[in-house]
Structure formats: structure tokens, C-alpha cells
Amino acid sequence: CCWSTPTRTRTNRYMGECYDYAFQLQLSVFSQGLLSRPQVFFWFDVFSVNQHKGANHTSDWWRTTFRQMIEAIGEVLLVLTPWHDPVPLKRSWCLWEMHSALQAKDKVKLSIALPPDQRGAFLAGVTKSLNAITDALVQIDAAKSKAGLQSDEDAIREAVEQGVGFDALNVEIKNHLRGWYMETAQSLAREETAKEDGDGEMLYNLAASLLEQGEHIKALRTLERCLELRRAEYGEQHRLTANVYSQMGIVFRNMGEHDKALRMCERALKIELATVGEQHP
């Protein structure tokens, strides 16, 4: 299936999709700039594979022919929804598509997209809980993945067992998604930072996540914008403002800038003493 000027050419995007998705959901990701790229041609298996008759591919076919097809195309695009428990991560086909792309990372790009409505849900989830990303990742278990056809499921399972193994596959998928989740969170943080009425709580939580990932400079920039918003909304003498100073102190400490860390912590302590007193628990 091609999405460009009608012509015969080589596919350059493999659309990893799940049959549980409405086709309109797949198309929704195109509004996020994918069609601004010149000469984009997508391969949709729904148009290319008989959905009612199994091909009975062997595990060798999955390890060789399928991977060669992925390498020839050059990019796999996977649509994740819902973001906190994505359906594709429970499907054998989709996990094997991701694995095939990651195994050929010098030749194949693995791209991940959220539908427009899930971007907002992702932002809300990260804002609500610092553990939202971790909670999403711990649910991945390739050994429990399913396929529409039992023959495909069995063949992919055999290919995994004879190759990387399920434990290593889980680690591979989780590591990639962890990086992608954090990049997405950082992108949303940059968007939020640029807003005049940005969400201070969301920025605070994202900064904490960045700190956990060792992204000290990015965490610091996010906290600086959060501090501006907290000062504007609550003023200098407020505990929420003090929390930002305290968090900045932790970032500076981890960066080895102890003098700056001490100044931030002293500011936080001064505000705490002024607002709740010496004897506050």
C-alpha cells in the first residue's frame, strides 16, 4: 500500500499493526508529520496477506525471509495504544517485527508513534505518577504473546526459543521502549516548557524521571522552567516552590556541583522554615 503520488516504487515503511485496531486509528498517526516526508510508501499486511488463510510459515522463515524483508524495507513503524498497556506488545507478530528491526539496527529504523488521543493520555499519566513509565514496561512478557493464527504463534515461539530466547527478547524490547518513552516525555516537556501557561506539576514529575535516567542537564532545564511557573503561580514563599529548589539541589549534587547544591537546599530550607516552622514533621 502506498501513500504518496500514485506510482510503482519500493516500499520504505513497514506498518506494524494489530488487527484489533480500527484502520482509522492507524491512519491517525499520519497527521503527526509522517506524510511531510517525501516519497513515503507503507507496507500494510492487511492489503497484502490473506487474513483468512494461514501461510504456515516455519520458524526458519521468520528468522530468515521475514527479517530479510524488514531489512529491504528499512523502517518499521509501530503504533502503540493504549500507551500504558499497548496491544501490539501482546502480539507475537508485532514483537517479532520489533525484534527483527532491532537486530538489524544498522539497516533498519524502528519508529514508534502514539495516536493523537494517546499523546494527551501519556502526558496525563506521567503527570500523575512518576512510576507510569515503569508500570507500562513491567507488563511486557513475550512468552505470553498471541497471534491470530495458532500456526504463526507456534512458529514465532519456536523462532524465539531457537534464537534470542524470551528473557533476552523482553529485555531488548523493554530497553528500547524505555528510551522511547523517555524521549517522548522529554519532547512533551519541551513543548510544555515553551508554553506561557505550562503545567508545573507535569514538569516537576518529568524532571524527576529525567533525574532517575541520569539526564541531569535536561532535568535541570526542566526544573528551571518549573521554578518560573511555581513562582508566578504561588510566589517565592511557598512549599511547592521550595520543592523545586530541593530537587535542583539533588541534580547539582549528582553533577558534582556541591556549592550550587548547597545553595539550592538552603533556599528550600529557608522557605520551609518560614512557611511551616522548625517543628513541622
Side-chain angles (χ1 to χ4, degrees), residues 18-268:
C18 182
Y19 297 154
D20 294 338
Y21 285 174
F23 187 63
Q24 185 177 2
L25 184 147
Q26 305 278 7
L27 297 180
S28 70
V29 302
F30 296 155
S31 64
Q32 300 178 42
L34 293 177
L35 291 183
S36 63
R37 304 179 189 176
Q39 298 298 308
V40 179
F41 292 84
F42 287 90
W43 190 93
F44 281 97
D45 64 358
V46 70
F47 295 127
S48 310
V49 180
N50 188 330
Q51 308 300 313
H52 305 288
K53 181 180 179 180
N56 294 320
H57 293 306
T58 66
S59 59
D60 285 337
W61 183 89
W62 288 98
R63 291 197 304 269
T64 57
T65 305
F66 182 82
R67 283 190 176 179
Q68 290 167 5
M69 181 192 71
I70 292 294
E71 290 181 16
I73 291 175
E75 181 174 353
V76 172
L77 173 63
L78 192 69
V79 179
L80 294 189
T81 188
W83 77 267
H84 62 282
D85 189 20
V87 175
L89 301 184
K90 301 176 182 179
R91 309 300 294 175
S92 303
W93 264 77
C94 297
L95 291 173
W96 189 256
E97 290 161 1
M98 295 181 71
H99 171 64
S100 298
L102 291 172
Q103 288 294 297
K105 58 184 178 181
D106 293 337
K107 301 178 182 178
V108 183
K109 178 182 179 181
L110 176 57
S111 300
I112 299 175
L114 290 173
D117 67 312
Q118 288 300 303
R119 287 174 61 83
F122 174 79
L123 179 59
V126 173
T127 300
K128 183 178 180 180
S129 172
L130 293 177
N131 297 319
I133 293 176
T134 301
D135 292 344
L137 292 172
V138 297
Q139 300 182 64
I140 299 174
D141 187 351
K144 296 180 180 179
S145 63
K146 300 295 181 181
L149 295 173
Q150 188 63 47
S151 58
D152 283 349
E153 183 179 326
D154 292 342
I156 293 174
R157 177 176 295 276
E158 183 178 342
V160 173
E161 291 174 342
Q162 293 180 356
V164 66
F166 281 108
D167 289 342
L169 178 58
N170 287 335
V171 171
E172 178 184 56
I173 299 297
K174 288 179 181 180
N175 285 343
H176 183 79
L177 286 175
R178 181 180 291 106
W180 176 81
Y181 274 130
M182 288 308 304
E183 288 176 5
T184 303
Q186 292 169 27
S187 175
L188 291 172
R190 287 192 295 270
E191 293 177 11
E192 198 67 26
T193 298
K195 296 179 182 178
E196 292 185 4
D197 57 345
D199 188 326
E201 180 183 2
M202 186 274 287
L203 291 175
Y204 184 86
N205 286 339
L206 285 178
S209 295
L210 290 168
L211 179 58
E212 290 179 3
Q213 297 294 319
E215 297 283 358
H216 298 120
I217 298 299
K218 293 177 181 178
L220 186 60
R221 297 294 174 262
T222 304
L223 285 170
E224 288 172 347
R225 177 55 178 155
C226 178
L227 181 62
E228 293 176 1
L229 294 171
R230 289 280 172 88
R231 282 171 164 172
E233 184 173 0
Y234 302 107
E236 180 74 13
Q237 300 300 312
H238 195 282
R239 296 194 70 192
L240 291 178
T241 304
N243 289 344
V244 181
Y245 281 125
S246 179
Q247 195 75 342
M248 292 175 73
I250 294 173
V251 175
F252 280 125
R253 181 200 64 190
N254 289 359
M255 294 172 64
E257 299 189 38
H258 298 107
D259 289 342
K260 291 181 180 179
L262 180 60
R263 287 199 295 272
M264 293 297 105
C265 291
E266 287 175 340
R267 288 186 183 180

Side-chain angles (χ1 to χ4, degrees), residues 5-22:
T5 303
T7 184
R8 297 185 65 181
T9 190
R10 193 170 190 168
T11 299
N12 52 20
R13 301 288 189 283
Y14 178 96
M15 190 73 173
E17 52 95 18
C18 182
Y19 297 154
D20 294 338
Y21 285 174

